[in-house]
Amino acid sequence: QSIKLLTNNPFKVKSLEALGVKINDRLPMLIQARPTNEAYLRTKALRMSHMLPADMLVASSSSAAPSAPPASHGAGVSEGASSGVEVQETEVFTNPLSGRKHSWCMGRESVEKTIAAMGRGEVVIVTDDEDRENEGDLIMAAELATPETMAFFIRYTSGVLCVGMESERLEELDLPQMVPNNQDPKNTAFTLSVDALVGGISTGISAADRATTLRLLADGDSTSDMFCRPGHIFPLRAKAGGTIERGGHTEASVDLCRLAGLASAGVLCEIVTADSMGMARMPELLEFAKEHDLAFTTIEDLICYRIDTGDFDGAAELEAKSAATVTA
């Protein structure tokens, strides 16, 4: 037996699945934001991690209903029995490695826009799951880093600039793990930190110096002796399967660079609140993205996009097996 669940609450889904209830689909509850309920909806998103579309968090005087995911990404339209609200069924993707179910949050278009922005050398925002770090990172391609973009990172983030990279490339650059026993709760794979030894840098800490180091790390012709250790840039070792294997910002930065046709080295750093006292959450991230005109997506959306487009090892074999099953 299985059910379709009408909810915006991810914890309800996980709790029911933990009890053995099979959930075929999650149907979002779409409600127009008004001055009278805007604070309530924002609290749901900020404090309870409810999966709400961006236009449900900003009050509008229009009577139009909030936007649902594009029709091409759902299995059709159903009507919620208890609410009478017409909602879009959410397309569900099965992770080929873990078997976990994934569904669109901000939609396929958000991923496509983010990939395009990465290719243009722009800074983008990517958020992870509410049950993980529940944070938004600024991300951009390391090979296109400039003093101006790094100054933007430093101003609006924690300032600890990292760069997600593939394991093979880190081995070529002789960058082992920072510690043999990683005790980080999320297993973030820090290697030795570095500064460039070439390119005319000074102490390595300025925005211009860090941009130089990042571009050098992304350059496939760079060699180990072009860097000093330790330094002010922190390379992170991404899992080989990217976000499909591990849903972290490290893997997201590498996936997005690769999908944009660039070197697999992505700069990343966590966005902080306006007072720099805490980590920015969804409502503030949405406003920040709008203020600075930044592309915005989620790791969940990126995983859905990769599965949907067959962007993972073994995709061809799985497709062939599925076709054979249908034929049989």
Side-chain angles (χ1 to χ4, degrees), residues 5 22 69 161 192 207 279 313:
L5 187 64
K22 181 180 179 181
L161 301 192
L192 294 179
M279 307 313 299
D313 287 341

Side-chain angles (χ1 to χ4, degrees), residues 104 107-116 256 297 301-302 305:
W104 301 105
R108 182 192 184 105
E109 186 179 5
S110 72
V111 182
E112 293 172 339
K113 287 183 176 180
T114 300
I115 293 171
L256 287 169
T297 194
D301 285 306
L302 180 54
Y305 180 86

Side-chain angles (χ1 to χ4, degrees), residues 222-241:
S222 298
T223 55
S224 175
D225 58 0
M226 293 180 176
F227 301 91
C228 69
R229 307 154 179 77
H232 298 90
I233 294 296
F234 296 82
L236 306 176
R237 190 181 303 269
K239 293 289 187 181

Side-chain angles (χ1 to χ4, degrees), residues 140-157:
M140 76 166 296
E143 69 178 274
L144 301 177
T146 66
E148 292 76 18
T149 53
M150 290 307 97
F152 184 85
F153 267 75
I154 295 165
R155 179 177 180 182
Y156 293 111
T157 69

Side-chain angles (χ1 to χ4, degrees), residues 224-297:
S224 175
D225 58 0
M226 293 180 176
F227 301 91
C228 69
R229 307 154 179 77
H232 298 90
I233 294 296
F234 296 82
L236 306 176
R237 190 181 303 269
K239 293 289 187 181
T243 48
I244 290 180
E245 182 174 353
R246 177 178 181 271
H249 287 101
T250 301
E251 287 71 24
S253 71
V254 172
D255 280 356
L256 287 169
C257 286
R258 180 179 53 78
L259 289 167
L262 302 170
S264 297
V267 191
L268 62 152
C269 198
E270 306 89 343
I271 304 171
V272 295
T273 53
D275 61 7
S276 299
M277 297 294 288
M279 307 313 299
R281 306 303 181 192
M282 185 59 81
E284 187 170 354
L285 292 171
L286 289 167
E287 292 179 357
F288 183 84
K290 183 177 180 180
E291 178 185 356
H292 297 283
D293 192 24
L294 304 180
F296 193 142
T297 194

Side-chain angles (χ1 to χ4, degrees), residues 303-323:
I303 294 171
C304 290
Y305 180 86
R306 290 192 58 200
I307 297 173
D308 192 33
T309 58
D311 180 44
F312 58 90
D313 287 341
E317 291 81 354
L318 283 177
E319 185 176 355
K321 182 177 179 181
S322 177

Side-chain angles (χ1 to χ4, degrees), residues 45-96:
L46 177 63
R47 301 298 182 189
M48 302 177 69
S49 301
H50 281 212
M51 297 178 284
L52 304 176
D55 56 357
M56 279 182 60
L57 302 179
V58 181
S60 170
S61 58
S62 168
S63 59
S67 59
S72 60
H73 305 147
V77 175
S78 339
E79 188 165 313
S82 61
S83 67
V85 177
E86 194 175 75
V87 294
Q88 181 94 22
E89 290 188 11
T90 304
E91 189 173 9
V92 177
F93 301 93
T94 301
N95 190 307

